[in-house]
Amino acid sequence: PLEVSIFTKIKYNFIFSLILLLFPLAILIPLLPTIIVLNEENHSIAGRDFSYLMITPLLALLYVIIFLVQTIFFSRLLQYNINPGVYKVYSFLYVRKWLSDKFMELALAVLHPIYATVYVSAMFRAFGAKIGKKTEISTASGITHPLLEIGDGGFIADAATIGESDVRGLRFTLKKTVIKNMSFIGNGAVVPQGYELESNMLIGVLSTPPTENQLNESNAKNWFGSPAIPLPRRQETQIFPDSLTLNPSWKRIMARGVVEFIRVIIPTTMITLFSILFISFGHDLIIGKSLLEIILLFPFYYLAIIGIPCFIFTVILKWVFVGRYKTQQIPMWTWKVWKSEAITTTYESLAVPFLLDFLTGTGWLPMAMRLLGVKIGKRVCMNTTDITEYDVVSIGDDSILNEDSGPQTHLFEDRIMKIGNVSIGKRCTIGTRTIILYDSKIEDDANILPLSLVMKGETISGQKNWVGSPVRLK
């Protein structure tokens, strides 16, 4: 490591302490117009008249726009003239990069509904990345946007890490990362910075790209695992018209844009609405009750006005617009996919953070997930909420799903949403961060260790220990 004086360490600790004060402001500033409007409405209306709640969608839209503009401004400012190279951690360039990364993490949480929509490519371009046409980007992280280039038709799936900077020995390294035309990066995959991924490549779930030597020795286009191995074959895909996968008509583009615009606004609107009601009724609680009554009743106010309504709203939306999920393949540019993704976004933005996250590891979470359609046996312990197509998941009696594990019941390949069943037997243990891909079955008493991956279509034998990516007998 580089030698650093005590004075330098103290100086940068002081700088970081001051910077931490910016984050509450970053949340508050976009909220100011909403606070001002609601304050005026409350003072101009006598009694408990909530008719002004009709304007909450507009307030939600205003909040999203202001937050997005603020994030774009600061990210461009902080990443201005940032270039590949090796730099000291104790430097203002590192402070800029660190602060920019924190703004991006905040944006990923607050602007979560925008990811995986038709708007996200434009947002990434605004951040400074070079993004080609017809590119789909979901919740990718670790990105230094001015050093990222994605070609035409690229596809970046959920939770992929693209070009994250490398820190070691009190130095940090920045390199340009390139993903060329029509390449696919799977869920949770990692493309290291400095990598140049060729066109028409597929990097699977929880995988890394092949090394230069592997590419010289193989012509394979599909790679899976860490370290990566070539996939001998891929699941067969139904044939759909090009107009429903890669080259949609302008009418379909407009229709998807409208649906996803509504999808972006719904979570923020509902959060605003429930928060207004919570503040209104909570005010009466604080003013009119004793301290003991406030302490005893406050959790029930939260559950009744925010937590349970966020969950029930998601449940109603799911059953009204989707009904029961079933195994099928659906091209991306269709109404069914847009509806399904809207339900997933609402679930992740409302039901999970405001209620279900608090229920993990308790008997209440399986009961809640049954309302969404998951088939869950008796005495199941769930430390995860990572389920999307609820009806195609079944979990047997006495099984345990540990933190961040879960059934991956769909994947987007070739711009087709492929949904399949995941069956977990009785008394199974699914380790932390383990993913079970669709069309797979876990037999009774199987034990899958952490950070493993069950491939599509596999049957995992019971009464044995399994580990790895791809999973294998221990």
PDB file of all heavy atoms in Angstrom, residues 94-128:
ATOM      1  N   TYR A  94     -10.765  10.417  -6.300  1.00  0.00           N
ATOM      2  CA  TYR A  94     -11.458   9.304  -5.637  1.00  0.00           C
ATOM      3  C   TYR A  94     -12.722   9.805  -4.930  1.00  0.00           C
ATOM      4  O   TYR A  94     -13.758   9.128  -4.963  1.00  0.00           O
ATOM      5  CB  TYR A  94     -10.535   8.626  -4.632  1.00  0.00           C
ATOM      6  CG  TYR A  94     -11.226   7.499  -3.881  1.00  0.00           C
ATOM      7  CD1 TYR A  94     -11.353   6.239  -4.454  1.00  0.00           C
ATOM      8  CD2 TYR A  94     -11.778   7.711  -2.623  1.00  0.00           C
ATOM      9  CE1 TYR A  94     -12.010   5.211  -3.790  1.00  0.00           C
ATOM     10  CE2 TYR A  94     -12.431   6.696  -1.945  1.00  0.00           C
ATOM     11  CZ  TYR A  94     -12.543   5.451  -2.532  1.00  0.00           C
ATOM     12  OH  TYR A  94     -13.198   4.438  -1.876  1.00  0.00           O
ATOM     13  N   VAL A  95     -12.648  10.957  -4.292  1.00  0.00           N
ATOM     14  CA  VAL A  95     -13.821  11.526  -3.631  1.00  0.00           C
ATOM     15  C   VAL A  95     -14.939  11.736  -4.643  1.00  0.00           C
ATOM     16  O   VAL A  95     -16.114  11.404  -4.386  1.00  0.00           O
ATOM     17  CB  VAL A  95     -13.467  12.853  -2.927  1.00  0.00           C
ATOM     18  CG1 VAL A  95     -14.727  13.543  -2.402  1.00  0.00           C
ATOM     19  CG2 VAL A  95     -12.489  12.602  -1.789  1.00  0.00           C
ATOM     20  N   ARG A  96     -14.588  12.278  -5.807  1.00  0.00           N
ATOM     21  CA  ARG A  96     -15.582  12.489  -6.865  1.00  0.00           C
ATOM     22  C   ARG A  96     -16.203  11.173  -7.300  1.00  0.00           C
ATOM     23  O   ARG A  96     -17.424  11.058  -7.445  1.00  0.00           O
ATOM     24  CB  ARG A  96     -14.923  13.172  -8.067  1.00  0.00           C
ATOM     25  CG  ARG A  96     -14.640  14.653  -7.884  1.00  0.00           C
ATOM     26  CD  ARG A  96     -13.733  15.175  -8.988  1.00  0.00           C
ATOM     27  NE  ARG A  96     -14.186  14.763 -10.307  1.00  0.00           N
ATOM     28  CZ  ARG A  96     -13.442  14.817 -11.409  1.00  0.00           C
ATOM     29  NH1 ARG A  96     -12.194  15.248 -11.346  1.00  0.00           N
ATOM     30  NH2 ARG A  96     -13.925  14.431 -12.571  1.00  0.00           N
ATOM     31  N   LYS A  97     -15.352  10.176  -7.538  1.00  0.00           N
ATOM     32  CA  LYS A  97     -15.851   8.874  -7.995  1.00  0.00           C
ATOM     33  C   LYS A  97     -16.721   8.225  -6.921  1.00  0.00           C
ATOM     34  O   LYS A  97     -17.793   7.667  -7.217  1.00  0.00           O
ATOM     35  CB  LYS A  97     -14.660   7.960  -8.330  1.00  0.00           C
ATOM     36  CG  LYS A  97     -15.054   6.546  -8.778  1.00  0.00           C
ATOM     37  CD  LYS A  97     -15.777   6.565 -10.111  1.00  0.00           C
ATOM     38  CE  LYS A  97     -15.980   5.168 -10.668  1.00  0.00           C
ATOM     39  NZ  LYS A  97     -16.892   4.338  -9.874  1.00  0.00           N
ATOM     40  N   TRP A  98     -16.291   8.274  -5.666  1.00  0.00           N
ATOM     41  CA  TRP A  98     -17.046   7.691  -4.561  1.00  0.00           C
ATOM     42  C   TRP A  98     -18.416   8.343  -4.439  1.00  0.00           C
ATOM     43  O   TRP A  98     -19.436   7.663  -4.312  1.00  0.00           O
ATOM     44  CB  TRP A  98     -16.250   7.856  -3.264  1.00  0.00           C
ATOM     45  CG  TRP A  98     -16.982   7.365  -2.052  1.00  0.00           C
ATOM     46  CD1 TRP A  98     -16.989   6.092  -1.557  1.00  0.00           C
ATOM     47  CD2 TRP A  98     -17.802   8.142  -1.177  1.00  0.00           C
ATOM     48  NE1 TRP A  98     -17.777   6.033  -0.420  1.00  0.00           N
ATOM     49  CE2 TRP A  98     -18.286   7.270  -0.171  1.00  0.00           C
ATOM     50  CE3 TRP A  98     -18.181   9.488  -1.139  1.00  0.00           C
ATOM     51  CZ2 TRP A  98     -19.122   7.708   0.852  1.00  0.00           C
ATOM     52  CZ3 TRP A  98     -19.015   9.921  -0.119  1.00  0.00           C
ATOM     53  CH2 TRP A  98     -19.469   9.034   0.857  1.00  0.00           C
ATOM     54  N   LEU A  99     -18.440   9.669  -4.489  1.00  0.00           N
ATOM     55  CA  LEU A  99     -19.708  10.392  -4.346  1.00  0.00           C
ATOM     56  C   LEU A  99     -20.632  10.109  -5.520  1.00  0.00           C
ATOM     57  O   LEU A  99     -21.846   9.934  -5.349  1.00  0.00           O
ATOM     58  CB  LEU A  99     -19.439  11.889  -4.224  1.00  0.00           C
ATOM     59  CG  LEU A  99     -20.655  12.787  -3.967  1.00  0.00           C
ATOM     60  CD1 LEU A  99     -21.439  12.314  -2.748  1.00  0.00           C
ATOM     61  CD2 LEU A  99     -20.212  14.240  -3.807  1.00  0.00           C
ATOM     62  N   SER A 100     -20.062  10.038  -6.726  1.00  0.00           N
ATOM     63  CA  SER A 100     -20.866   9.698  -7.903  1.00  0.00           C
ATOM     64  C   SER A 100     -21.478   8.313  -7.761  1.00  0.00           C
ATOM     65  O   SER A 100     -22.665   8.102  -8.084  1.00  0.00           O
ATOM     66  CB  SER A 100     -20.002   9.765  -9.161  1.00  0.00           C
ATOM     67  OG  SER A 100     -20.709   9.306 -10.285  1.00  0.00           O
ATOM     68  N   ASP A 101     -20.694   7.351  -7.276  1.00  0.00           N
ATOM     69  CA  ASP A 101     -21.207   5.989  -7.063  1.00  0.00           C
ATOM     70  C   ASP A 101     -22.355   5.991  -6.061  1.00  0.00           C
ATOM     71  O   ASP A 101     -23.350   5.256  -6.232  1.00  0.00           O
ATOM     72  CB  ASP A 101     -20.088   5.070  -6.568  1.00  0.00           C
ATOM     73  CG  ASP A 101     -19.078   4.746  -7.647  1.00  0.00           C
ATOM     74  OD1 ASP A 101     -19.360   5.012  -8.835  1.00  0.00           O
ATOM     75  OD2 ASP A 101     -17.992   4.230  -7.304  1.00  0.00           O
ATOM     76  N   LYS A 102     -22.240   6.785  -5.004  1.00  0.00           N
ATOM     77  CA  LYS A 102     -23.305   6.840  -4.000  1.00  0.00           C
ATOM     78  C   LYS A 102     -24.575   7.448  -4.577  1.00  0.00           C
ATOM     79  O   LYS A 102     -25.688   7.004  -4.260  1.00  0.00           O
ATOM     80  CB  LYS A 102     -22.843   7.642  -2.776  1.00  0.00           C
ATOM     81  CG  LYS A 102     -21.700   6.993  -2.015  1.00  0.00           C
ATOM     82  CD  LYS A 102     -22.043   5.569  -1.598  1.00  0.00           C
ATOM     83  CE  LYS A 102     -20.865   4.824  -1.022  1.00  0.00           C
ATOM     84  NZ  LYS A 102     -21.148   3.393  -0.785  1.00  0.00           N
ATOM     85  N   PHE A 103     -24.436   8.445  -5.434  1.00  0.00           N
ATOM     86  CA  PHE A 103     -25.608   9.008  -6.101  1.00  0.00           C
ATOM     87  C   PHE A 103     -26.275   7.961  -6.996  1.00  0.00           C
ATOM     88  O   PHE A 103     -27.504   7.899  -7.096  1.00  0.00           O
ATOM     89  CB  PHE A 103     -25.223  10.249  -6.924  1.00  0.00           C
ATOM     90  CG  PHE A 103     -25.287  11.534  -6.155  1.00  0.00           C
ATOM     91  CD1 PHE A 103     -24.136  12.241  -5.857  1.00  0.00           C
ATOM     92  CD2 PHE A 103     -26.505  12.033  -5.721  1.00  0.00           C
ATOM     93  CE1 PHE A 103     -24.196  13.426  -5.137  1.00  0.00           C
ATOM     94  CE2 PHE A 103     -26.571  13.220  -5.002  1.00  0.00           C
ATOM     95  CZ  PHE A 103     -25.413  13.919  -4.708  1.00  0.00           C
ATOM     96  N   MET A 104     -25.444   7.136  -7.652  1.00  0.00           N
ATOM     97  CA  MET A 104     -26.010   6.092  -8.503  1.00  0.00           C
ATOM     98  C   MET A 104     -26.736   5.030  -7.675  1.00  0.00           C
ATOM     99  O   MET A 104     -27.790   4.532  -8.075  1.00  0.00           O
ATOM    100  CB  MET A 104     -24.895   5.435  -9.323  1.00  0.00           C
ATOM    101  CG  MET A 104     -24.304   6.282 -10.426  1.00  0.00           C
ATOM    102  SD  MET A 104     -25.542   6.780 -11.665  1.00  0.00           S
ATOM    103  CE  MET A 104     -25.766   8.497 -11.203  1.00  0.00           C
ATOM    104  N   GLU A 105     -26.177   4.685  -6.509  1.00  0.00           N
ATOM    105  CA  GLU A 105     -26.845   3.724  -5.629  1.00  0.00           C
ATOM    106  C   GLU A 105     -28.175   4.282  -5.136  1.00  0.00           C
ATOM    107  O   GLU A 105     -29.180   3.565  -5.064  1.00  0.00           O
ATOM    108  CB  GLU A 105     -25.939   3.402  -4.433  1.00  0.00           C
ATOM    109  CG  GLU A 105     -24.707   2.588  -4.801  1.00  0.00           C
ATOM    110  CD  GLU A 105     -23.766   2.423  -3.625  1.00  0.00           C
ATOM    111  OE1 GLU A 105     -24.189   2.681  -2.475  1.00  0.00           O
ATOM    112  OE2 GLU A 105     -22.592   2.051  -3.844  1.00  0.00           O
ATOM    113  N   LEU A 106     -28.190   5.564  -4.818  1.00  0.00           N
ATOM    114  CA  LEU A 106     -29.419   6.218  -4.386  1.00  0.00           C
ATOM    115  C   LEU A 106     -30.441   6.239  -5.513  1.00  0.00           C
ATOM    116  O   LEU A 106     -31.633   5.983  -5.305  1.00  0.00           O
ATOM    117  CB  LEU A 106     -29.097   7.638  -3.923  1.00  0.00           C
ATOM    118  CG  LEU A 106     -30.166   8.395  -3.137  1.00  0.00           C
ATOM    119  CD1 LEU A 106     -30.535   7.645  -1.871  1.00  0.00           C
ATOM    120  CD2 LEU A 106     -29.683   9.805  -2.805  1.00  0.00           C
ATOM    121  N   ALA A 107     -29.970   6.520  -6.729  1.00  0.00           N
ATOM    122  CA  ALA A 107     -30.861   6.538  -7.882  1.00  0.00           C
ATOM    123  C   ALA A 107     -31.451   5.162  -8.147  1.00  0.00           C
ATOM    124  O   ALA A 107     -32.628   5.041  -8.524  1.00  0.00           O
ATOM    125  CB  ALA A 107     -30.111   7.040  -9.118  1.00  0.00           C
ATOM    126  N   LEU A 108     -30.637   4.110  -7.958  1.00  0.00           N
ATOM    127  CA  LEU A 108     -31.124   2.751  -8.177  1.00  0.00           C
ATOM    128  C   LEU A 108     -32.262   2.419  -7.218  1.00  0.00           C
ATOM    129  O   LEU A 108     -33.198   1.691  -7.569  1.00  0.00           O
ATOM    130  CB  LEU A 108     -29.982   1.751  -8.005  1.00  0.00           C
ATOM    131  CG  LEU A 108     -30.268   0.291  -8.347  1.00  0.00           C
ATOM    132  CD1 LEU A 108     -30.734   0.140  -9.789  1.00  0.00           C
ATOM    133  CD2 LEU A 108     -29.038  -0.566  -8.108  1.00  0.00           C
ATOM    134  N   ALA A 109     -32.202   2.966  -6.004  1.00  0.00           N
ATOM    135  CA  ALA A 109     -33.271   2.728  -5.028  1.00  0.00           C
ATOM    136  C   ALA A 109     -34.490   3.596  -5.314  1.00  0.00           C
ATOM    137  O   ALA A 109     -35.621   3.096  -5.378  1.00  0.00           O
ATOM    138  CB  ALA A 109     -32.745   3.000  -3.625  1.00  0.00           C
ATOM    139  N   VAL A 110     -34.279   4.892  -5.525  1.00  0.00           N
ATOM    140  CA  VAL A 110     -35.404   5.824  -5.679  1.00  0.00           C
ATOM    141  C   VAL A 110     -36.049   5.703  -7.059  1.00  0.00           C
ATOM    142  O   VAL A 110     -37.269   5.748  -7.198  1.00  0.00           O
ATOM    143  CB  VAL A 110     -34.928   7.273  -5.440  1.00  0.00           C
ATOM    144  CG1 VAL A 110     -36.049   8.267  -5.726  1.00  0.00           C
ATOM    145  CG2 VAL A 110     -34.430   7.436  -4.004  1.00  0.00           C
ATOM    146  N   LEU A 111     -35.221   5.535  -8.087  1.00  0.00           N
ATOM    147  CA  LEU A 111     -35.729   5.475  -9.465  1.00  0.00           C
ATOM    148  C   LEU A 111     -35.837   4.032  -9.955  1.00  0.00           C
ATOM    149  O   LEU A 111     -35.843   3.786 -11.157  1.00  0.00           O
ATOM    150  CB  LEU A 111     -34.801   6.267 -10.392  1.00  0.00           C
ATOM    151  CG  LEU A 111     -34.597   7.738 -10.032  1.00  0.00           C
ATOM    152  CD1 LEU A 111     -33.578   8.373 -10.965  1.00  0.00           C
ATOM    153  CD2 LEU A 111     -35.917   8.508 -10.096  1.00  0.00           C
ATOM    154  N   HIS A 112     -35.939   3.092  -9.033  1.00  0.00           N
ATOM    155  CA  HIS A 112     -35.996   1.670  -9.383  1.00  0.00           C
ATOM    156  C   HIS A 112     -37.017   1.355 -10.481  1.00  0.00           C
ATOM    157  O   HIS A 112     -36.736   0.562 -11.388  1.00  0.00           O
ATOM    158  CB  HIS A 112     -36.285   0.849  -8.131  1.00  0.00           C
ATOM    159  CG  HIS A 112     -36.350  -0.623  -8.364  1.00  0.00           C
ATOM    160  ND1 HIS A 112     -35.222  -1.424  -8.471  1.00  0.00           N
ATOM    161  CD2 HIS A 112     -37.408  -1.458  -8.548  1.00  0.00           C
ATOM    162  CE1 HIS A 112     -35.582  -2.664  -8.702  1.00  0.00           C
ATOM    163  NE2 HIS A 112     -36.903  -2.722  -8.739  1.00  0.00           N
ATOM    164  N   PRO A 113     -38.236   1.930 -10.456  1.00  0.00           N
ATOM    165  CA  PRO A 113     -39.220   1.592 -11.500  1.00  0.00           C
ATOM    166  C   PRO A 113     -38.806   1.980 -12.913  1.00  0.00           C
ATOM    167  O   PRO A 113     -39.372   1.461 -13.883  1.00  0.00           O
ATOM    168  CB  PRO A 113     -40.468   2.375 -11.061  1.00  0.00           C
ATOM    169  CG  PRO A 113     -40.313   2.570  -9.598  1.00  0.00           C
ATOM    170  CD  PRO A 113     -38.842   2.764  -9.394  1.00  0.00           C
ATOM    171  N   ILE A 114     -37.825   2.888 -13.066  1.00  0.00           N
ATOM    172  CA  ILE A 114     -37.407   3.307 -14.416  1.00  0.00           C
ATOM    173  C   ILE A 114     -36.548   2.247 -15.085  1.00  0.00           C
ATOM    174  O   ILE A 114     -36.541   2.112 -16.320  1.00  0.00           O
ATOM    175  CB  ILE A 114     -36.645   4.646 -14.344  1.00  0.00           C
ATOM    176  CG1 ILE A 114     -37.602   5.777 -13.953  1.00  0.00           C
ATOM    177  CG2 ILE A 114     -35.956   4.973 -15.663  1.00  0.00           C
ATOM    178  CD1 ILE A 114     -36.951   7.138 -13.863  1.00  0.00           C
ATOM    179  N   TYR A 115     -35.827   1.463 -14.275  1.00  0.00           N
ATOM    180  CA  TYR A 115     -34.935   0.454 -14.855  1.00  0.00           C
ATOM    181  C   TYR A 115     -35.746  -0.619 -15.569  1.00  0.00           C
ATOM    182  O   TYR A 115     -36.854  -0.957 -15.170  1.00  0.00           O
ATOM    183  CB  TYR A 115     -34.065  -0.156 -13.758  1.00  0.00           C
ATOM    184  CG  TYR A 115     -32.996   0.796 -13.264  1.00  0.00           C
ATOM    185  CD1 TYR A 115     -33.302   1.784 -12.338  1.00  0.00           C
ATOM    186  CD2 TYR A 115     -31.695   0.734 -13.752  1.00  0.00           C
ATOM    187  CE1 TYR A 115     -32.332   2.679 -11.897  1.00  0.00           C
ATOM    188  CE2 TYR A 115     -30.725   1.617 -13.314  1.00  0.00           C
ATOM    189  CZ  TYR A 115     -31.046   2.590 -12.391  1.00  0.00           C
ATOM    190  OH  TYR A 115     -30.083   3.484 -11.967  1.00  0.00           O
ATOM    191  N   ALA A 116     -35.184  -1.141 -16.636  1.00  0.00           N
ATOM    192  CA  ALA A 116     -35.841  -2.140 -17.489  1.00  0.00           C
ATOM    193  C   ALA A 116     -37.050  -1.573 -18.221  1.00  0.00           C
ATOM    194  O   ALA A 116     -37.977  -2.301 -18.563  1.00  0.00           O
ATOM    195  CB  ALA A 116     -36.244  -3.378 -16.688  1.00  0.00           C
ATOM    196  N   THR A 117     -37.035  -0.265 -18.485  1.00  0.00           N
ATOM    197  CA  THR A 117     -38.081   0.353 -19.302  1.00  0.00           C
ATOM    198  C   THR A 117     -37.449   0.927 -20.572  1.00  0.00           C
ATOM    199  O   THR A 117     -36.225   0.919 -20.749  1.00  0.00           O
ATOM    200  CB  THR A 117     -38.791   1.501 -18.550  1.00  0.00           C
ATOM    201  OG1 THR A 117     -37.858   2.588 -18.374  1.00  0.00           O
ATOM    202  CG2 THR A 117     -39.292   1.038 -17.190  1.00  0.00           C
ATOM    203  N   VAL A 118     -38.295   1.472 -21.434  1.00  0.00           N
ATOM    204  CA  VAL A 118     -37.786   2.094 -22.664  1.00  0.00           C
ATOM    205  C   VAL A 118     -37.034   3.392 -22.365  1.00  0.00           C
ATOM    206  O   VAL A 118     -36.356   3.930 -23.240  1.00  0.00           O
ATOM    207  CB  VAL A 118     -38.947   2.403 -23.644  1.00  0.00           C
ATOM    208  CG1 VAL A 118     -39.531   1.130 -24.200  1.00  0.00           C
ATOM    209  CG2 VAL A 118     -40.020   3.253 -22.981  1.00  0.00           C
ATOM    210  N   TYR A 119     -37.135   3.890 -21.130  1.00  0.00           N
ATOM    211  CA  TYR A 119     -36.525   5.168 -20.782  1.00  0.00           C
ATOM    212  C   TYR A 119     -35.100   5.033 -20.248  1.00  0.00           C
ATOM    213  O   TYR A 119     -34.365   6.013 -20.189  1.00  0.00           O
ATOM    214  CB  TYR A 119     -37.382   5.880 -19.720  1.00  0.00           C
ATOM    215  CG  TYR A 119     -38.816   6.050 -20.130  1.00  0.00           C
ATOM    216  CD1 TYR A 119     -39.811   5.280 -19.546  1.00  0.00           C
ATOM    217  CD2 TYR A 119     -39.174   6.962 -21.115  1.00  0.00           C
ATOM    218  CE1 TYR A 119     -41.145   5.420 -19.932  1.00  0.00           C
ATOM    219  CE2 TYR A 119     -40.494   7.111 -21.506  1.00  0.00           C
ATOM    220  CZ  TYR A 119     -41.475   6.330 -20.913  1.00  0.00           C
ATOM    221  OH  TYR A 119     -42.786   6.479 -21.299  1.00  0.00           O
ATOM    222  N   VAL A 120     -34.699   3.834 -19.854  1.00  0.00           N
ATOM    223  CA  VAL A 120     -33.440   3.703 -19.128  1.00  0.00           C
ATOM    224  C   VAL A 120     -32.220   3.949 -20.027  1.00  0.00           C
ATOM    225  O   VAL A 120     -31.200   4.468 -19.565  1.00  0.00           O
ATOM    226  CB  VAL A 120     -33.362   2.327 -18.432  1.00  0.00           C
ATOM    227  CG1 VAL A 120     -33.146   1.205 -19.439  1.00  0.00           C
ATOM    228  CG2 VAL A 120     -32.263   2.305 -17.382  1.00  0.00           C
ATOM    229  N   SER A 121     -32.305   3.607 -21.307  1.00  0.00           N
ATOM    230  CA  SER A 121     -31.167   3.862 -22.204  1.00  0.00           C
ATOM    231  C   SER A 121     -30.881   5.355 -22.306  1.00  0.00           C
ATOM    232  O   SER A 121     -29.721   5.790 -22.264  1.00  0.00           O
ATOM    233  CB  SER A 121     -31.444   3.277 -23.589  1.00  0.00           C
ATOM    234  OG  SER A 121     -31.450   1.867 -23.556  1.00  0.00           O
ATOM    235  N   ALA A 122     -31.947   6.144 -22.435  1.00  0.00           N
ATOM    236  CA  ALA A 122     -31.778   7.601 -22.493  1.00  0.00           C
ATOM    237  C   ALA A 122     -31.194   8.125 -21.183  1.00  0.00           C
ATOM    238  O   ALA A 122     -30.359   9.043 -21.190  1.00  0.00           O
ATOM    239  CB  ALA A 122     -33.123   8.264 -22.777  1.00  0.00           C
ATOM    240  N   MET A 123     -31.616   7.539 -20.068  1.00  0.00           N
ATOM    241  CA  MET A 123     -31.085   7.955 -18.763  1.00  0.00           C
ATOM    242  C   MET A 123     -29.592   7.664 -18.680  1.00  0.00           C
ATOM    243  O   MET A 123     -28.813   8.507 -18.218  1.00  0.00           O
ATOM    244  CB  MET A 123     -31.836   7.239 -17.647  1.00  0.00           C
ATOM    245  CG  MET A 123     -31.427   7.669 -16.252  1.00  0.00           C
ATOM    246  SD  MET A 123     -32.424   6.917 -14.937  1.00  0.00           S
ATOM    247  CE  MET A 123     -31.721   5.248 -14.910  1.00  0.00           C
ATOM    248  N   PHE A 124     -29.161   6.495 -19.144  1.00  0.00           N
ATOM    249  CA  PHE A 124     -27.736   6.148 -19.118  1.00  0.00           C
ATOM    250  C   PHE A 124     -26.932   7.072 -20.036  1.00  0.00           C
ATOM    251  O   PHE A 124     -25.799   7.424 -19.716  1.00  0.00           O
ATOM    252  CB  PHE A 124     -27.536   4.684 -19.515  1.00  0.00           C
ATOM    253  CG  PHE A 124     -27.557   3.737 -18.345  1.00  0.00           C
ATOM    254  CD1 PHE A 124     -28.611   3.748 -17.448  1.00  0.00           C
ATOM    255  CD2 PHE A 124     -26.531   2.836 -18.140  1.00  0.00           C
ATOM    256  CE1 PHE A 124     -28.635   2.891 -16.354  1.00  0.00           C
ATOM    257  CE2 PHE A 124     -26.539   1.963 -17.054  1.00  0.00           C
ATOM    258  CZ  PHE A 124     -27.590   1.992 -16.160  1.00  0.00           C
ATOM    259  N   ARG A 125     -27.510   7.429 -21.173  1.00  0.00           N
ATOM    260  CA  ARG A 125     -26.815   8.385 -22.058  1.00  0.00           C
ATOM    261  C   ARG A 125     -26.657   9.726 -21.350  1.00  0.00           C
ATOM    262  O   ARG A 125     -25.613  10.384 -21.471  1.00  0.00           O
ATOM    263  CB  ARG A 125     -27.600   8.558 -23.363  1.00  0.00           C
ATOM    264  CG  ARG A 125     -27.615   7.328 -24.257  1.00  0.00           C
ATOM    265  CD  ARG A 125     -28.277   7.611 -25.594  1.00  0.00           C
ATOM    266  NE  ARG A 125     -28.523   6.362 -26.315  1.00  0.00           N
ATOM    267  CZ  ARG A 125     -29.715   5.785 -26.446  1.00  0.00           C
ATOM    268  NH1 ARG A 125     -30.793   6.376 -25.917  1.00  0.00           N
ATOM    269  NH2 ARG A 125     -29.849   4.652 -27.109  1.00  0.00           N
ATOM    270  N   ALA A 126     -27.696  10.142 -20.622  1.00  0.00           N
ATOM    271  CA  ALA A 126     -27.621  11.401 -19.880  1.00  0.00           C
ATOM    272  C   ALA A 126     -26.543  11.342 -18.804  1.00  0.00           C
ATOM    273  O   ALA A 126     -25.920  12.356 -18.481  1.00  0.00           O
ATOM    274  CB  ALA A 126     -28.977  11.724 -19.257  1.00  0.00           C
ATOM    275  N   PHE A 127     -26.321  10.161 -18.239  1.00  0.00           N
ATOM    276  CA  PHE A 127     -25.253   9.995 -17.248  1.00  0.00           C
ATOM    277  C   PHE A 127     -23.870  10.014 -17.887  1.00  0.00           C
ATOM    278  O   PHE A 127     -22.870  10.133 -17.179  1.00  0.00           O
ATOM    279  CB  PHE A 127     -25.423   8.666 -16.492  1.00  0.00           C
ATOM    280  CG  PHE A 127     -26.589   8.629 -15.555  1.00  0.00           C
ATOM    281  CD1 PHE A 127     -27.203   7.423 -15.256  1.00  0.00           C
ATOM    282  CD2 PHE A 127     -27.083   9.784 -14.965  1.00  0.00           C
ATOM    283  CE1 PHE A 127     -28.277   7.368 -14.379  1.00  0.00           C
ATOM    284  CE2 PHE A 127     -28.167   9.749 -14.095  1.00  0.00           C
ATOM    285  CZ  PHE A 127     -28.766   8.534 -13.805  1.00  0.00           C
ATOM    286  N   GLY A 128     -23.795   9.858 -19.209  1.00  0.00           N
ATOM    287  CA  GLY A 128     -22.511   9.931 -19.906  1.00  0.00           C
ATOM    288  C   GLY A 128     -22.076   8.665 -20.603  1.00  0.00           C
ATOM    289  O   GLY A 128     -21.009   8.627 -21.217  1.00  0.00           O
TER     290      GLY A 128
END
